[in-house]
Amino acid sequence: MPKKFLAVCLNPVIQKTLVFDGLAIDHVNRARIARTDASGKGINVARVLSQRGAEVAHLTHSGGANREWFLSLCAADGLDIRWVDSGSEARICTTVIDATAHTATELVEEASPIGPGTEERLLDLYSATIPGFDVLVVSGTKATGYSDRVIPAMVERAAAHGALIVLDIKGKDLLACLPFRPAVVKPNLSEFLGTFPAPAGSGEGEALREHVRAAAASLKERYGTELVITRGGKPIWFNEGGAAAEEPIVPAKAINPTGSGDSFTAGLAFALANGATLREAIADGARMGALNAENLKPGSIR
C-alpha cells in the first residue's frame, strides 16, 4: 500500500519572492515578478511530496491576523494542513532574486512567540493524528514558546507506532531525538558542526571528513541512524558500509534555490519509504533539490 507521510514544522512562513533585472543598493528597485506562497521547511516538504503523488499532511500552528492568508495559500496548493491556534502570526520572509547577477538573497523574520496552551493543543492533535501515518518528517526550528520536549515527544510517539522517521533538525532537538532511533538525520554541514563540533584544527580537509565519518559510524552503531549531510553545491556526505561515501549533486539551471534542501528531504523520505537503498534515496533527494532550484516557486518541483 502507498505510504502516508506526516510533515511537521513548528515555524510556518509566508514567503514573498521578488525578481529584479538588477539590484542597485540605496536606490528604488522595482520588481519584475512578485509572488507569495505558503512556505517554511515543513510546508515545502509536504508540497514536494504531494507533487510526487504521495498522500501527505502537514502539522503546524497558525494564528493572528494573517492566519486566513496563510491557510488560503496552503489551500491553493491543495495541501492538507492540520493546525492548532497559536495566536501568533506566520512570519513573512522574502527572497530577493537578481536575475542579471544570478543571486538569491533571503531576508528572514524571526518567529512570533506562540500563545499559552499552544504546545499542549498541538501534542494532543499530533497524538490523534500520527497513528494514521507511516512516515514522520520533522524539519526546521521551532517558534519561541515551545519547550525543548515538544519535538522529542513527537518523535517518541512516532517510534512507538513504528513509523519511519526522517529528521532535518539540529542542536538540542536532534540530540534529544536520537534515543528514539530515527532512520535518517539530515543536517547541512553547518548544522552538523553546530551539533557535533569538530576537534580544533579540523579545517575543511581530511580531518573534517574523518570527523563526519566517525560521527556517522557512531550514530549507526548506537541508534541505527544514518547521517546524511548536504553541503550546498558540493557532494552529499554519508557512510556506506562504515566507510565515507559521497553522492554528487544534480546540476541545475538555478532560478530560485530557496527550499532546495527541503525538496531534498522530501525526495529522501519518499524514496526510503518506498524501499530504496540509502544511496538511491540520496540520489532521489538530490534530483528533487535540483528540480526545485529550477522553479521560481519555493519548495516546488514543477
Side-chain angles (χ1 to χ4, degrees):
M1 291 181 60
K3 302 298 184 182
K4 297 176 65 176
F5 296 79
L6 181 64
V8 174
C9 180
L10 305 182
N11 214 344
V13 171
I14 294 173
Q15 188 80 32
K16 297 283 292 183
T17 304
L18 304 176
V19 180
F20 301 85
D21 287 327
L23 283 174
I25 302 301
D26 207 26
H27 287 73
V28 173
N29 292 266
R30 299 188 183 278
R32 173 167 57 84
I33 299 172
R35 64 173 303 127
T36 306
D37 297 283
S39 192
K41 295 180 75 66
I43 286 284
N44 294 340
V45 168
R47 185 159 48 226
V48 171
L49 284 169
S50 177
Q51 290 174 355
R52 291 289 297 271
E55 185 173 350
V56 55
H58 175 59
L59 179 72
T60 190
H61 63 260
S62 190
N66 68 16
R67 181 181 69 190
E68 295 308 317
W69 185 19
F70 172 74
L71 294 175
S72 70
L73 291 169
C74 294
D77 285 335
L79 297 177
D80 178 0
I81 306 297
R82 318 287 177 93
W83 59 279
V84 298
D85 192 347
S86 62
S88 58
E89 296 191 359
R91 57 188 177 146
I92 299 176
C93 298
T94 304
T95 303
V96 179
I97 296 173
D98 185 331
T100 300
H102 303 289
T103 60
T105 302
E106 190 74 9
L107 308 177
V108 178
E109 288 187 8
E110 292 299 326
S112 299
I114 59 171
T118 302
E119 180 170 325
E120 291 73 18
R121 291 191 295 273
L122 182 122
L123 285 175
D124 286 345
L125 176 59
Y126 175 84
S127 294
T129 301
I130 189 60
F133 289 84
D134 307 295
V135 184
L136 173 69
V137 183
V138 184
S139 303
T141 57
K142 54 189 186 292
T144 302
Y146 282 111
S147 75
D148 288 341
R149 77 180 186 93
V150 64
I151 291 177
M154 289 191 289
V155 172
E156 181 179 18
R157 294 174 198 183
H161 285 288
L164 176 75
I165 300 167
V166 176
L167 302 179
D168 183 8
I169 57 178
K170 62 181 179 179
K172 291 189 295 183
D173 288 333
L174 174 53
L175 294 174
C177 290
L178 290 174
F180 309 117
R181 304 180 69 84
V184 181
V185 297
K186 191 242 84 174
N188 63 34
L189 182 59
S190 175
E191 292 166 340
F192 166 78
L193 291 174
T195 307
F196 303 94
S202 293
E204 291 290 331
E206 288 302 315
L208 175 60
R209 186 67 187 94
E210 173 55 24
H211 171 61
V212 171
R213 187 210 64 77
S218 176
L219 291 180
K220 182 68 172 178
E221 179 181 359
R222 294 181 64 188
Y223 306 111
T225 298
E226 300 285 2
L227 173 66
V228 175
I229 296 181
T230 53
R231 301 188 301 139
K234 298 179 180 179
I236 300 144
W237 282 349
F238 63 105
N239 275 15
E240 196 168 49
E246 63 181 44
E247 179 71 20
I249 63 165
V250 175
K253 295 181 179 179
I255 296 173
N256 182 9
T258 304
S260 286
D262 310 322
S263 302
F264 176 92
T265 301
L268 179 76
F270 182 88
L272 287 173
N274 286 283
T277 66
L278 181 63
R279 182 180 284 275
E280 290 168 342
I282 291 169
D284 196 55
R287 186 168 65 89
M288 294 301 103
L291 287 173
N292 174 81
E294 293 179 342
N295 284 277
L296 186 59
K297 183 173 184 171
S300 179
I301 57 172
R302 63 179 189 222

